[in-house]
Amino acid sequence: MTDPTKAEFDPADMPQTSRHHIRYPGLNDLTRFAQQQFQAMAESIDDNIDDLPAQITDELTTATANAKKWRDEAEGFASSAGNIQDSGVAALIRRAGSDTRGALYGASALFIGDSYTQGFRASSNAARWTTLVCQAFGWSEDNRGVGGSGYSARGEGNKTFLQQLQAAKADNSTPDIIFISGGRNDGGTTITTKAEETFRYAKTNWPAARVVCIPALWGDYRPISVDAQYRADDIKTAALNEGVEMIWDSWQWLYNLTDQIHDLGSGNLDMHPNDKGYATIAHHVIQALLGGPTAISTPRVQLGSYNNSKSGSMSISIDDGIVTLCGDMGSTGNVYVGWDFARLPAQARPATTRFANGWTAQGGSMALVKISTDGKCTINNLYGAAGTGVGITGISWPVGR
C-alpha cells in the first residue's frame, strides 16, 4: 500500500534562493512535510555546494578587476585634474594683475636711479624699461629716477639715490619690490660705503620688500668706461655686504647696437637708448627676475693650434658676458706681421676690431695683436727683432651682440 504523504510531496514545489538555488521549507504544510522539506533542503545544498567556490572566485575576480579599473580611472582623473590645475595656475602667474601673480611677485614697484631709470629720450613713459617691466609683472609703478644722479652724485632736484628713497618714504610709498639702478654718474669716486648706506635704508624701511640693484646700468652702445666698471665693482661689493640682489652685466646689453640708441640727428648718437633700446633693457631685467640668464658664460678653454702655430697656454673664457683672452702660442719659425695664429670661437668674437698688447722672442720684442670680428688673432705690428712664439697680455671685452 502506498503512503499518501509521499505521493503528495514534491521538492520542486519548495521555494529556492535566486542565486544558488538552495531549496528551503515553505510556509505551507511545514508540519506535515517537515522531514521531507528539510531533507530536500539538505540535498539541494549538497547538490550546489561544489559550485559555490567557483562562483565566489569568479565574483572575487570580477570585483578585483573592477576595483583596478576604477582605481586606474580615478588616478587618470586625478592626473588630469592636476594638469588642469597646473595649467590654470600657470595661466594666472602669466596674467598681469592676477591675484596669483601678485602673491608671487607683489603688486607695486619703486624705481630709484638715474636718467636711464627716468627713461630719458623714450618717446613716452609707456616706452620706459621700468614701465615695460611693470606691465610684464602687473605692478603699479613709482618711478623716482632723475637724470645725473648716483650713489654720491646729486642729480636733478639735488637728489642722490638715498634721497630718492627718503622722498618715497615721506610720500608713504609701499613697494613690494625696489629697484636701485645706476652708478655711471658717480665718476671716479669710490662709492662702496654710499651704496651700502642706500641699500641699508631700503631694507630697513621696507623690510618685506625685495631689493634689486643693477650696478652701473649702461644704456650706451659704447664700451663701458673704466670708471663705471670700477663703480660696478663697488656696488657689487656693497650688494653682497647688505644682502641685496644684483642683475649684473648691464653694460653689455646694448653694446654696439647702434640702432637702439637715440639719434640726435645726422647720425650723431646719444648716450641714451631709444624705445627699442629701452625694450632690450626691459627684456634682460625680466629674464633676470624670472631666473633666466642675462649673459653668456663659458669656462676657460685652451686655444689649439691654428695656421702653423703651436699649442701653448693661450686661453679664453666668458664670465657674465665679458670675454677674457690671454696667454701665448708657439711657432715653428720667426713670426711676422700679418700672421694669424689663433681663431676665437664664435660666441667670444668681438663686435668691433680690438687691439691687444703682446710680445714675441720670449718677451724680448713687443708686438701689437689685432683681434678681428671674425675671431682671427693677427700680428699687426712688431717693435724689435722677430722671434718665435707670440703672446697676449690679458684683454677683455663684452660679447658681441
Side-chain angles (χ1 to χ4, degrees):
M1 184 175 178
T2 305
D3 186 345
T5 60
K6 292 286 186 182
E8 294 178 19
F9 174 74
D10 186 353
D13 294 333
M14 292 176 64
Q16 56 183 333
T17 60
S18 59
R19 296 184 63 189
H20 303 299
H21 309 295
I22 304 298
R23 301 183 188 279
Y24 57 90
L27 295 177
N28 297 326
D29 295 325
L30 179 58
T31 301
R32 183 180 178 191
F33 298 113
Q35 179 180 353
Q36 292 91 332
Q37 291 193 63
F38 281 110
Q39 180 179 348
M41 182 176 69
E43 291 174 352
S44 68
I45 292 172
D46 189 55
D47 291 341
N48 289 282
I49 197 168
D50 292 338
D51 296 332
L52 289 178
Q55 294 175 20
I56 293 171
T57 300
D58 289 345
E59 291 180 8
L60 286 174
T61 301
T62 300
T64 301
N66 286 338
K68 184 178 183 302
K69 174 184 176 184
W70 297 330
R71 181 201 65 194
D72 292 344
E73 289 178 351
E75 289 178 352
F77 293 146
S79 177
S80 297
N83 291 337
I84 292 170
Q85 183 182 41
D86 288 347
S87 298
V89 171
L92 289 172
I93 291 172
R94 288 192 298 269
R95 194 178 75 195
S98 75
D99 290 341
T100 302
R101 190 178 186 88
L104 284 173
Y105 298 113
S108 60
L110 171 63
F111 293 89
I112 303 298
D114 52 22
S115 57
Y116 296 136
T117 301
Q118 180 185 18
F120 187 66
R121 300 295 191 190
S123 62
S124 68
N125 284 350
R128 300 182 299 191
W129 72 264
T130 58
T131 305
L132 295 174
V133 170
C134 285
Q135 288 175 349
F137 287 92
W139 292 328
S140 61
E141 178 181 0
D142 184 358
N143 191 323
R144 303 278 173 158
V146 294
S149 62
Y151 290 92
S152 63
R154 297 177 180 272
E156 299 169 14
N158 203 32
K159 288 182 179 178
T160 63
F161 290 170
L162 176 58
Q163 289 167 322
Q164 292 173 32
L165 284 169
Q166 291 169 338
K169 182 65 177 178
D171 292 339
N172 297 315
S173 181
T174 56
D176 294 301
I177 185 167
I178 301 170
F179 291 89
I180 304 173
S181 55
R184 178 172 185 163
N185 296 318
D186 289 301
T189 304
T190 300
I191 57 171
T192 302
T193 301
K194 292 286 188 182
E196 288 174 342
E197 183 182 3
T198 302
F199 298 151
R200 197 176 305 124
Y201 183 91
K203 297 194 70 167
T204 300
N205 287 277
W206 292 280
R210 180 181 179 185
V211 182
V212 179
C213 75
I214 307 178
L217 179 62
W218 193 262
D220 199 334
Y221 74 96
R222 288 169 281 247
I224 186 172
S225 67
V226 173
D227 280 343
Q229 181 68 71
Y230 283 141
R231 300 296 72 77
D233 289 338
D234 291 345
I235 298 164
K236 181 179 182 179
T237 298
L240 292 172
N241 290 343
E242 296 299 323
V244 168
E245 295 180 45
M246 281 185 297
I247 301 178
W248 193 243
D249 83 342
S250 68
W251 48 87
Q252 59 97 5
W253 293 346
L254 298 182
Y255 177 73
N256 209 43
L257 300 181
T258 54
D259 64 319
Q260 299 193 24
I261 306 301
H262 180 75
D263 192 336
L264 295 169
S266 302
N268 295 315
L269 299 181
D270 192 23
M271 64 170 60
H272 294 89
N274 56 25
D275 288 356
K276 189 175 179 181
Y278 278 120
T280 295
I281 294 174
H283 167 77
H284 285 288
V285 173
I286 291 168
Q287 270 192 313
L289 294 175
L290 293 176
T294 59
I296 298 171
S297 290
T298 62
R300 188 181 71 168
V301 295
Q302 299 287 116
L303 294 179
S305 300
Y306 180 83
N307 193 21
N308 295 320
S309 66
K310 297 170 65 177
S311 181
S313 66
M314 187 170 290
S315 65
I316 192 159
S317 63
I318 308 176
D319 183 18
D320 283 330
I322 301 299
V323 179
T324 299
L325 174 68
C326 64
D328 60 80
M329 301 290 284
S331 62
T332 55
N334 286 342
V335 302
Y336 55 90
V337 172
W339 179 49
D340 51 303
F341 57 89
R343 185 79 180 268
L344 307 185
Q347 67 268 34
R349 296 171 187 174
T352 58
T353 299
R354 300 272 174 175
F355 291 91
N357 292 323
W359 69 88
T360 184
Q362 289 76 48
S365 293
M366 293 182 61
L368 186 67
V369 175
K370 176 182 177 182
I371 306 170
S372 303
T373 56
D374 62 359
K376 289 182 180 179
C377 297
T378 306
I379 295 179
N380 194 78
N381 293 80
L382 285 177
Y383 304 94
T388 59
V390 60
I392 292 179
T393 303
I395 180 174
S396 298
W397 62 85
V399 294
R401 289 284 183 179

